[in-house]
Amino acid sequence: MRLVHLTAGTGSFFCGTCLRDHALVKALRRLGHDALIVPLYLPLVLDDSDNREDSPLFFGGINVYLQQKSAFFRRTPQWLDKLLDSPALLRQAGRKAGMTNPRELGEMTLSMIEGEHGHQAKELDKLVAWLVEQKPDVVCLSNSLLIGVARRVREALRVPIICSLQGEDAFLDFLPDPYRVRCWQLVQERAADVARFVAPSRYYKALMQERLRLAPEKIVVIYNGIDLDGFAPAAAPPEFPTVGFLARMSPDKGLDTLVEAFIKLAPRVPHARLKIGGSRTDADRAFVNDLTGRLEQAGIANPVKFLPNLTHAEKQQFLRGLTVVSVPTQRGEAFGLFVIESLASGVPVAQPNSGAFPELIELTGGGVLYAQSDASSLADVLEKLLLDPAHAAELGRCGREIVNARFTSDAMARSFEELLKQL
């Protein structure tokens, strides 16, 4: 089959959604399909060189913004649009907080979901014209925030639209009113343009089925998977008991909760270390600086390392140097790709008892749960794992075994292929 996967890029940092989409597309190619990942808004930041640079970018973030603000830019010539879609210019724009902050994007989000009736209709026309030339058998949307393009694409190409669900409820819920209510209503209405939705967990299927008012059969669960190449347990345990964090360095990922837990933990576990890896944007610097000050005030700054914007290889090496990983997210996560990456490295996880985490830990046996947003509860479970490295290693071994069997990119692609055949 010929498949085009539309994915919103970040321009300057890694995100779990982009990595999952890229892994899926590569695995579908290995199955013999002609699959292409196409960036929207900003360039994709991917974990290897196989990123198909020849694929064009649509709905360039600067053009989308200007067309939202001024009717003049809804009629500009193609040469000017192309200039504003320069990858270098878009990467620079992607470093600005307002490009991805839901509180500042209510009006634009609504316009995008309105699709052919929105201010970015010119950009939609470009995408549809290109897709008609490509003649795909199916078009995939990375998440439901892109659902505004589905109607025009379906009508022009007469092919099924598949839409993944990857945690966009948090973005929509943070929009200011009246945009929050109207955007949810529009996504519900435009769900009729989608043949199937794909949820990454049973938890998220139930949540989005209710919020989008969908029939159960319209959502299928396909667990996310990763390419296992390069993920492996360390030859020996780390020199010091080490807690790791692997996500964007932001409040919604609960990094402040982990820092508070480590401050409580440090006097109880001699020589404990904390390593914080993941994406850090310009918008995150003040938050990280505040955490650094908090650690210094507590007198335990030296055992803590911040390692921002790791490459793919650096991330794999980072994971091998840990005893346990914890990302204390503040909301229920749709999946949590870092859980699978950690377990693939033989490192257990300590996660809040919310979202998809209980489901993943039940399926893998690779971690423990604690009360969400409770730093004391987190400190307690971390203490037990750090002081009992044999138990931590056994959890990691068990988790790695299940990930190797059930949570690979190839397993994800085979499930996706079955869905394609049904449609």
Side-chain angles (χ1 to χ4, degrees), residues 187-218:
V187 174
Q188 291 170 359
E189 294 169 11
R190 288 187 173 254
D193 301 316
V194 173
R196 290 291 187 279
F197 289 90
V198 175
S201 61
R202 298 191 306 268
Y203 156 78
Y204 207 60
K205 173 181 177 175
L207 186 148
M208 293 301 279
Q209 179 183 324
E210 178 182 356
R211 300 205 68 173
L212 296 183
R213 301 174 184 173
L214 297 174
E217 61 273 15
K218 192 154 183 175

PDB file of all heavy atoms in Angstrom, residues 187-218:
ATOM      1  N   VAL A 187     -14.017  18.908  16.960  1.00  0.00           N
ATOM      2  CA  VAL A 187     -13.349  17.614  16.800  1.00  0.00           C
ATOM      3  C   VAL A 187     -14.386  16.494  16.843  1.00  0.00           C
ATOM      4  O   VAL A 187     -14.326  15.533  16.063  1.00  0.00           O
ATOM      5  CB  VAL A 187     -12.274  17.416  17.886  1.00  0.00           C
ATOM      6  CG1 VAL A 187     -11.694  16.001  17.804  1.00  0.00           C
ATOM      7  CG2 VAL A 187     -11.151  18.433  17.728  1.00  0.00           C
ATOM      8  N   GLN A 188     -15.366  16.609  17.732  1.00  0.00           N
ATOM      9  CA  GLN A 188     -16.453  15.623  17.788  1.00  0.00           C
ATOM     10  C   GLN A 188     -17.198  15.557  16.455  1.00  0.00           C
ATOM     11  O   GLN A 188     -17.476  14.478  15.925  1.00  0.00           O
ATOM     12  CB  GLN A 188     -17.419  15.971  18.912  1.00  0.00           C
ATOM     13  CG  GLN A 188     -16.856  15.783  20.313  1.00  0.00           C
ATOM     14  CD  GLN A 188     -17.778  16.368  21.378  1.00  0.00           C
ATOM     15  OE1 GLN A 188     -18.830  16.923  21.076  1.00  0.00           O
ATOM     16  NE2 GLN A 188     -17.377  16.253  22.629  1.00  0.00           N
ATOM     17  N   GLU A 189     -17.532  16.726  15.902  1.00  0.00           N
ATOM     18  CA  GLU A 189     -18.278  16.768  14.652  1.00  0.00           C
ATOM     19  C   GLU A 189     -17.471  16.185  13.496  1.00  0.00           C
ATOM     20  O   GLU A 189     -17.988  15.413  12.673  1.00  0.00           O
ATOM     21  CB  GLU A 189     -18.667  18.216  14.326  1.00  0.00           C
ATOM     22  CG  GLU A 189     -19.662  18.830  15.316  1.00  0.00           C
ATOM     23  CD  GLU A 189     -19.825  20.315  15.119  1.00  0.00           C
ATOM     24  OE1 GLU A 189     -19.329  20.842  14.088  1.00  0.00           O
ATOM     25  OE2 GLU A 189     -20.426  20.980  15.998  1.00  0.00           O
ATOM     26  N   ARG A 190     -16.194  16.539  13.422  1.00  0.00           N
ATOM     27  CA  ARG A 190     -15.371  16.116  12.295  1.00  0.00           C
ATOM     28  C   ARG A 190     -14.842  14.690  12.448  1.00  0.00           C
ATOM     29  O   ARG A 190     -14.199  14.173  11.538  1.00  0.00           O
ATOM     30  CB  ARG A 190     -14.232  17.104  12.076  1.00  0.00           C
ATOM     31  CG  ARG A 190     -14.755  18.427  11.491  1.00  0.00           C
ATOM     32  CD  ARG A 190     -13.652  19.369  11.099  1.00  0.00           C
ATOM     33  NE  ARG A 190     -14.205  20.534  10.405  1.00  0.00           N
ATOM     34  CZ  ARG A 190     -14.104  20.744   9.092  1.00  0.00           C
ATOM     35  NH1 ARG A 190     -13.501  19.854   8.324  1.00  0.00           N
ATOM     36  NH2 ARG A 190     -14.615  21.829   8.545  1.00  0.00           N
ATOM     37  N   ALA A 191     -15.130  14.060  13.555  1.00  0.00           N
ATOM     38  CA  ALA A 191     -14.763  12.648  13.706  1.00  0.00           C
ATOM     39  C   ALA A 191     -15.453  11.784  12.655  1.00  0.00           C
ATOM     40  O   ALA A 191     -14.968  10.698  12.317  1.00  0.00           O
ATOM     41  CB  ALA A 191     -15.118  12.165  15.108  1.00  0.00           C
ATOM     42  N   ALA A 192     -16.567  12.270  12.111  1.00  0.00           N
ATOM     43  CA  ALA A 192     -17.271  11.530  11.060  1.00  0.00           C
ATOM     44  C   ALA A 192     -16.432  11.405   9.789  1.00  0.00           C
ATOM     45  O   ALA A 192     -16.693  10.528   8.961  1.00  0.00           O
ATOM     46  CB  ALA A 192     -18.597  12.225  10.739  1.00  0.00           C
ATOM     47  N   ASP A 193     -15.416  12.272   9.620  1.00  0.00           N
ATOM     48  CA  ASP A 193     -14.564  12.222   8.430  1.00  0.00           C
ATOM     49  C   ASP A 193     -13.450  11.183   8.549  1.00  0.00           C
ATOM     50  O   ASP A 193     -12.701  10.982   7.590  1.00  0.00           O
ATOM     51  CB  ASP A 193     -13.937  13.603   8.181  1.00  0.00           C
ATOM     52  CG  ASP A 193     -14.994  14.685   7.975  1.00  0.00           C
ATOM     53  OD1 ASP A 193     -15.967  14.419   7.243  1.00  0.00           O
ATOM     54  OD2 ASP A 193     -14.851  15.774   8.560  1.00  0.00           O
ATOM     55  N   VAL A 194     -13.328  10.559   9.710  1.00  0.00           N
ATOM     56  CA  VAL A 194     -12.241   9.612   9.972  1.00  0.00           C
ATOM     57  C   VAL A 194     -12.792   8.194   9.949  1.00  0.00           C
ATOM     58  O   VAL A 194     -13.830   7.910  10.558  1.00  0.00           O
ATOM     59  CB  VAL A 194     -11.588   9.919  11.335  1.00  0.00           C
ATOM     60  CG1 VAL A 194     -10.573   8.849  11.711  1.00  0.00           C
ATOM     61  CG2 VAL A 194     -10.935  11.303  11.301  1.00  0.00           C
ATOM     62  N   ALA A 195     -12.072   7.289   9.261  1.00  0.00           N
ATOM     63  CA  ALA A 195     -12.521   5.896   9.187  1.00  0.00           C
ATOM     64  C   ALA A 195     -12.285   5.165  10.504  1.00  0.00           C
ATOM     65  O   ALA A 195     -13.141   4.411  10.969  1.00  0.00           O
ATOM     66  CB  ALA A 195     -11.807   5.180   8.047  1.00  0.00           C
ATOM     67  N   ARG A 196     -11.087   5.345  11.094  1.00  0.00           N
ATOM     68  CA  ARG A 196     -10.762   4.726  12.372  1.00  0.00           C
ATOM     69  C   ARG A 196      -9.824   5.639  13.154  1.00  0.00           C
ATOM     70  O   ARG A 196      -8.972   6.313  12.589  1.00  0.00           O
ATOM     71  CB  ARG A 196     -10.068   3.363  12.191  1.00  0.00           C
ATOM     72  CG  ARG A 196     -10.932   2.266  11.661  1.00  0.00           C
ATOM     73  CD  ARG A 196     -12.003   1.802  12.650  1.00  0.00           C
ATOM     74  NE  ARG A 196     -12.678   0.628  12.125  1.00  0.00           N
ATOM     75  CZ  ARG A 196     -13.652   0.645  11.237  1.00  0.00           C
ATOM     76  NH1 ARG A 196     -14.053   1.822  10.740  1.00  0.00           N
ATOM     77  NH2 ARG A 196     -14.219  -0.469  10.817  1.00  0.00           N
ATOM     78  N   PHE A 197      -9.996   5.587  14.471  1.00  0.00           N
ATOM     79  CA  PHE A 197      -9.060   6.219  15.384  1.00  0.00           C
ATOM     80  C   PHE A 197      -8.199   5.123  16.012  1.00  0.00           C
ATOM     81  O   PHE A 197      -8.676   4.013  16.267  1.00  0.00           O
ATOM     82  CB  PHE A 197      -9.794   6.990  16.485  1.00  0.00           C
ATOM     83  CG  PHE A 197     -10.472   8.245  16.006  1.00  0.00           C
ATOM     84  CD1 PHE A 197     -11.788   8.205  15.548  1.00  0.00           C
ATOM     85  CD2 PHE A 197      -9.804   9.453  15.999  1.00  0.00           C
ATOM     86  CE1 PHE A 197     -12.428   9.348  15.097  1.00  0.00           C
ATOM     87  CE2 PHE A 197     -10.438  10.610  15.552  1.00  0.00           C
ATOM     88  CZ  PHE A 197     -11.753  10.560  15.101  1.00  0.00           C
ATOM     89  N   VAL A 198      -6.940   5.450  16.273  1.00  0.00           N
ATOM     90  CA  VAL A 198      -6.009   4.497  16.881  1.00  0.00           C
ATOM     91  C   VAL A 198      -5.553   5.055  18.220  1.00  0.00           C
ATOM     92  O   VAL A 198      -4.924   6.128  18.282  1.00  0.00           O
ATOM     93  CB  VAL A 198      -4.788   4.246  15.979  1.00  0.00           C
ATOM     94  CG1 VAL A 198      -3.770   3.354  16.687  1.00  0.00           C
ATOM     95  CG2 VAL A 198      -5.224   3.616  14.665  1.00  0.00           C
ATOM     96  N   ALA A 199      -5.862   4.348  19.300  1.00  0.00           N
ATOM     97  CA  ALA A 199      -5.447   4.748  20.643  1.00  0.00           C
ATOM     98  C   ALA A 199      -4.263   3.895  21.076  1.00  0.00           C
ATOM     99  O   ALA A 199      -4.192   2.706  20.750  1.00  0.00           O
ATOM    100  CB  ALA A 199      -6.605   4.582  21.629  1.00  0.00           C
ATOM    101  N   PRO A 200      -3.311   4.471  21.841  1.00  0.00           N
ATOM    102  CA  PRO A 200      -2.117   3.716  22.227  1.00  0.00           C
ATOM    103  C   PRO A 200      -2.294   2.887  23.506  1.00  0.00           C
ATOM    104  O   PRO A 200      -1.344   2.237  23.944  1.00  0.00           O
ATOM    105  CB  PRO A 200      -1.074   4.815  22.445  1.00  0.00           C
ATOM    106  CG  PRO A 200      -1.883   5.968  22.947  1.00  0.00           C
ATOM    107  CD  PRO A 200      -3.204   5.891  22.222  1.00  0.00           C
ATOM    108  N   SER A 201      -3.489   2.930  24.110  1.00  0.00           N
ATOM    109  CA  SER A 201      -3.727   2.166  25.338  1.00  0.00           C
ATOM    110  C   SER A 201      -5.231   2.013  25.539  1.00  0.00           C
ATOM    111  O   SER A 201      -6.036   2.774  24.980  1.00  0.00           O
ATOM    112  CB  SER A 201      -3.114   2.881  26.554  1.00  0.00           C
ATOM    113  OG  SER A 201      -3.694   4.168  26.729  1.00  0.00           O
ATOM    114  N   ARG A 202      -5.608   1.029  26.341  1.00  0.00           N
ATOM    115  CA  ARG A 202      -7.021   0.857  26.671  1.00  0.00           C
ATOM    116  C   ARG A 202      -7.536   2.067  27.444  1.00  0.00           C
ATOM    117  O   ARG A 202      -8.680   2.497  27.258  1.00  0.00           O
ATOM    118  CB  ARG A 202      -7.220  -0.419  27.502  1.00  0.00           C
ATOM    119  CG  ARG A 202      -6.828  -1.704  26.791  1.00  0.00           C
ATOM    120  CD  ARG A 202      -7.303  -2.929  27.558  1.00  0.00           C
ATOM    121  NE  ARG A 202      -6.842  -2.932  28.950  1.00  0.00           N
ATOM    122  CZ  ARG A 202      -5.732  -3.505  29.372  1.00  0.00           C
ATOM    123  NH1 ARG A 202      -4.930  -4.108  28.491  1.00  0.00           N
ATOM    124  NH2 ARG A 202      -5.388  -3.481  30.643  1.00  0.00           N
ATOM    125  N   TYR A 203      -6.684   2.588  28.322  1.00  0.00           N
ATOM    126  CA  TYR A 203      -7.058   3.779  29.098  1.00  0.00           C
ATOM    127  C   TYR A 203      -7.449   4.924  28.171  1.00  0.00           C
ATOM    128  O   TYR A 203      -8.495   5.564  28.343  1.00  0.00           O
ATOM    129  CB  TYR A 203      -5.891   4.214  29.991  1.00  0.00           C
ATOM    130  CG  TYR A 203      -5.932   5.669  30.371  1.00  0.00           C
ATOM    131  CD1 TYR A 203      -6.786   6.126  31.357  1.00  0.00           C
ATOM    132  CD2 TYR A 203      -5.126   6.604  29.702  1.00  0.00           C
ATOM    133  CE1 TYR A 203      -6.839   7.484  31.685  1.00  0.00           C
ATOM    134  CE2 TYR A 203      -5.172   7.949  30.025  1.00  0.00           C
ATOM    135  CZ  TYR A 203      -6.034   8.387  31.016  1.00  0.00           C
ATOM    136  OH  TYR A 203      -6.099   9.713  31.323  1.00  0.00           O
ATOM    137  N   TYR A 204      -6.616   5.180  27.154  1.00  0.00           N
ATOM    138  CA  TYR A 204      -6.873   6.343  26.312  1.00  0.00           C
ATOM    139  C   TYR A 204      -8.023   6.095  25.354  1.00  0.00           C
ATOM    140  O   TYR A 204      -8.722   7.039  24.969  1.00  0.00           O
ATOM    141  CB  TYR A 204      -5.612   6.755  25.559  1.00  0.00           C
ATOM    142  CG  TYR A 204      -5.615   8.221  25.217  1.00  0.00           C
ATOM    143  CD1 TYR A 204      -5.690   9.180  26.220  1.00  0.00           C
ATOM    144  CD2 TYR A 204      -5.562   8.661  23.902  1.00  0.00           C
ATOM    145  CE1 TYR A 204      -5.712  10.534  25.921  1.00  0.00           C
ATOM    146  CE2 TYR A 204      -5.576  10.004  23.588  1.00  0.00           C
ATOM    147  CZ  TYR A 204      -5.661  10.939  24.604  1.00  0.00           C
ATOM    148  OH  TYR A 204      -5.692  12.292  24.302  1.00  0.00           O
ATOM    149  N   LYS A 205      -8.232   4.853  24.968  1.00  0.00           N
ATOM    150  CA  LYS A 205      -9.400   4.551  24.154  1.00  0.00           C
ATOM    151  C   LYS A 205     -10.679   4.903  24.906  1.00  0.00           C
ATOM    152  O   LYS A 205     -11.573   5.558  24.364  1.00  0.00           O
ATOM    153  CB  LYS A 205      -9.436   3.075  23.765  1.00  0.00           C
ATOM    154  CG  LYS A 205     -10.737   2.696  23.056  1.00  0.00           C
ATOM    155  CD  LYS A 205     -10.824   1.234  22.670  1.00  0.00           C
ATOM    156  CE  LYS A 205     -12.187   0.937  22.035  1.00  0.00           C
ATOM    157  NZ  LYS A 205     -12.304  -0.438  21.533  1.00  0.00           N
ATOM    158  N   ALA A 206     -10.770   4.489  26.166  1.00  0.00           N
ATOM    159  CA  ALA A 206     -11.970   4.761  26.957  1.00  0.00           C
ATOM    160  C   ALA A 206     -12.170   6.262  27.151  1.00  0.00           C
ATOM    161  O   ALA A 206     -13.292   6.777  27.036  1.00  0.00           O
ATOM    162  CB  ALA A 206     -11.868   4.050  28.305  1.00  0.00           C
ATOM    163  N   LEU A 207     -11.081   6.965  27.417  1.00  0.00           N
ATOM    164  CA  LEU A 207     -11.188   8.410  27.659  1.00  0.00           C
ATOM    165  C   LEU A 207     -11.664   9.141  26.411  1.00  0.00           C
ATOM    166  O   LEU A 207     -12.604   9.944  26.459  1.00  0.00           O
ATOM    167  CB  LEU A 207      -9.837   8.948  28.118  1.00  0.00           C
ATOM    168  CG  LEU A 207      -9.796  10.423  28.552  1.00  0.00           C
ATOM    169  CD1 LEU A 207      -8.753  10.620  29.652  1.00  0.00           C
ATOM    170  CD2 LEU A 207      -9.467  11.354  27.387  1.00  0.00           C
ATOM    171  N   MET A 208     -11.034   8.866  25.261  1.00  0.00           N
ATOM    172  CA  MET A 208     -11.376   9.605  24.046  1.00  0.00           C
ATOM    173  C   MET A 208     -12.675   9.117  23.425  1.00  0.00           C
ATOM    174  O   MET A 208     -13.358   9.878  22.732  1.00  0.00           O
ATOM    175  CB  MET A 208     -10.226   9.514  23.053  1.00  0.00           C
ATOM    176  CG  MET A 208      -8.977  10.251  23.520  1.00  0.00           C
ATOM    177  SD  MET A 208      -9.249  12.026  23.830  1.00  0.00           S
ATOM    178  CE  MET A 208      -9.164  12.667  22.160  1.00  0.00           C
ATOM    179  N   GLN A 209     -13.028   7.877  23.651  1.00  0.00           N
ATOM    180  CA  GLN A 209     -14.330   7.403  23.183  1.00  0.00           C
ATOM    181  C   GLN A 209     -15.442   8.215  23.829  1.00  0.00           C
ATOM    182  O   GLN A 209     -16.420   8.611  23.177  1.00  0.00           O
ATOM    183  CB  GLN A 209     -14.497   5.922  23.536  1.00  0.00           C
ATOM    184  CG  GLN A 209     -15.838   5.340  23.104  1.00  0.00           C
ATOM    185  CD  GLN A 209     -15.977   3.887  23.548  1.00  0.00           C
ATOM    186  OE1 GLN A 209     -15.009   3.132  23.545  1.00  0.00           O
ATOM    187  NE2 GLN A 209     -17.180   3.500  23.937  1.00  0.00           N
ATOM    188  N   GLU A 210     -15.283   8.494  25.122  1.00  0.00           N
ATOM    189  CA  GLU A 210     -16.283   9.289  25.836  1.00  0.00           C
ATOM    190  C   GLU A 210     -16.236  10.746  25.402  1.00  0.00           C
ATOM    191  O   GLU A 210     -17.275  11.353  25.125  1.00  0.00           O
ATOM    192  CB  GLU A 210     -16.044   9.182  27.339  1.00  0.00           C
ATOM    193  CG  GLU A 210     -17.002  10.013  28.160  1.00  0.00           C
ATOM    194  CD  GLU A 210     -16.733   9.932  29.649  1.00  0.00           C
ATOM    195  OE1 GLU A 210     -15.834   9.165  30.054  1.00  0.00           O
ATOM    196  OE2 GLU A 210     -17.395  10.648  30.418  1.00  0.00           O
ATOM    197  N   ARG A 211     -15.044  11.308  25.299  1.00  0.00           N
ATOM    198  CA  ARG A 211     -14.940  12.741  25.028  1.00  0.00           C
ATOM    199  C   ARG A 211     -15.291  13.090  23.586  1.00  0.00           C
ATOM    200  O   ARG A 211     -15.752  14.200  23.304  1.00  0.00           O
ATOM    201  CB  ARG A 211     -13.546  13.237  25.383  1.00  0.00           C
ATOM    202  CG  ARG A 211     -13.202  13.013  26.860  1.00  0.00           C
ATOM    203  CD  ARG A 211     -12.181  13.964  27.379  1.00  0.00           C
ATOM    204  NE  ARG A 211     -12.678  15.322  27.447  1.00  0.00           N
ATOM    205  CZ  ARG A 211     -11.987  16.324  27.999  1.00  0.00           C
ATOM    206  NH1 ARG A 211     -10.787  16.097  28.512  1.00  0.00           N
ATOM    207  NH2 ARG A 211     -12.476  17.542  28.027  1.00  0.00           N
ATOM    208  N   LEU A 212     -15.070  12.148  22.664  1.00  0.00           N
ATOM    209  CA  LEU A 212     -15.422  12.395  21.263  1.00  0.00           C
ATOM    210  C   LEU A 212     -16.759  11.775  20.882  1.00  0.00           C
ATOM    211  O   LEU A 212     -17.194  11.880  19.745  1.00  0.00           O
ATOM    212  CB  LEU A 212     -14.325  11.868  20.337  1.00  0.00           C
ATOM    213  CG  LEU A 212     -12.961  12.538  20.463  1.00  0.00           C
ATOM    214  CD1 LEU A 212     -11.994  11.978  19.429  1.00  0.00           C
ATOM    215  CD2 LEU A 212     -13.076  14.052  20.306  1.00  0.00           C
ATOM    216  N   ARG A 213     -17.395  11.101  21.848  1.00  0.00           N
ATOM    217  CA  ARG A 213     -18.708  10.471  21.639  1.00  0.00           C
ATOM    218  C   ARG A 213     -18.674   9.517  20.451  1.00  0.00           C
ATOM    219  O   ARG A 213     -19.496   9.585  19.528  1.00  0.00           O
ATOM    220  CB  ARG A 213     -19.772  11.548  21.432  1.00  0.00           C
ATOM    221  CG  ARG A 213     -19.891  12.507  22.624  1.00  0.00           C
ATOM    222  CD  ARG A 213     -20.841  13.645  22.355  1.00  0.00           C
ATOM    223  NE  ARG A 213     -20.861  14.586  23.462  1.00  0.00           N
ATOM    224  CZ  ARG A 213     -21.493  15.754  23.448  1.00  0.00           C
ATOM    225  NH1 ARG A 213     -22.170  16.114  22.361  1.00  0.00           N
ATOM    226  NH2 ARG A 213     -21.477  16.555  24.490  1.00  0.00           N
ATOM    227  N   LEU A 214     -17.719   8.598  20.493  1.00  0.00           N
ATOM    228  CA  LEU A 214     -17.513   7.656  19.397  1.00  0.00           C
ATOM    229  C   LEU A 214     -18.063   6.279  19.746  1.00  0.00           C
ATOM    230  O   LEU A 214     -18.080   5.876  20.912  1.00  0.00           O
ATOM    231  CB  LEU A 214     -16.016   7.524  19.103  1.00  0.00           C
ATOM    232  CG  LEU A 214     -15.298   8.783  18.622  1.00  0.00           C
ATOM    233  CD1 LEU A 214     -13.811   8.517  18.530  1.00  0.00           C
ATOM    234  CD2 LEU A 214     -15.841   9.243  17.274  1.00  0.00           C
ATOM    235  N   ALA A 215     -18.476   5.550  18.735  1.00  0.00           N
ATOM    236  CA  ALA A 215     -18.844   4.148  18.916  1.00  0.00           C
ATOM    237  C   ALA A 215     -17.584   3.357  19.233  1.00  0.00           C
ATOM    238  O   ALA A 215     -16.507   3.654  18.694  1.00  0.00           O
ATOM    239  CB  ALA A 215     -19.509   3.613  17.659  1.00  0.00           C
ATOM    240  N   PRO A 216     -17.669   2.344  20.091  1.00  0.00           N
ATOM    241  CA  PRO A 216     -16.468   1.582  20.488  1.00  0.00           C
ATOM    242  C   PRO A 216     -15.701   1.015  19.303  1.00  0.00           C
ATOM    243  O   PRO A 216     -14.461   0.985  19.311  1.00  0.00           O
ATOM    244  CB  PRO A 216     -17.040   0.468  21.367  1.00  0.00           C
ATOM    245  CG  PRO A 216     -18.344   0.986  21.858  1.00  0.00           C
ATOM    246  CD  PRO A 216     -18.882   1.868  20.775  1.00  0.00           C
ATOM    247  N   GLU A 217     -16.423   0.574  18.271  1.00  0.00           N
ATOM    248  CA  GLU A 217     -15.751  -0.050  17.135  1.00  0.00           C
ATOM    249  C   GLU A 217     -14.977   0.949  16.271  1.00  0.00           C
ATOM    250  O   GLU A 217     -14.209   0.551  15.384  1.00  0.00           O
ATOM    251  CB  GLU A 217     -16.750  -0.809  16.262  1.00  0.00           C
ATOM    252  CG  GLU A 217     -17.848   0.035  15.642  1.00  0.00           C
ATOM    253  CD  GLU A 217     -19.072   0.193  16.554  1.00  0.00           C
ATOM    254  OE1 GLU A 217     -18.960  -0.107  17.764  1.00  0.00           O
ATOM    255  OE2 GLU A 217     -20.136   0.602  16.036  1.00  0.00           O
ATOM    256  N   LYS A 218     -15.173   2.241  16.513  1.00  0.00           N
ATOM    257  CA  LYS A 218     -14.475   3.230  15.698  1.00  0.00           C
ATOM    258  C   LYS A 218     -13.060   3.511  16.222  1.00  0.00           C
ATOM    259  O   LYS A 218     -12.258   4.175  15.569  1.00  0.00           O
ATOM    260  CB  LYS A 218     -15.268   4.528  15.613  1.00  0.00           C
ATOM    261  CG  LYS A 218     -14.735   5.474  14.545  1.00  0.00           C
ATOM    262  CD  LYS A 218     -15.777   6.411  14.012  1.00  0.00           C
ATOM    263  CE  LYS A 218     -15.225   7.279  12.893  1.00  0.00           C
ATOM    264  NZ  LYS A 218     -16.222   8.126  12.252  1.00  0.00           N
TER     265      LYS A 218
END
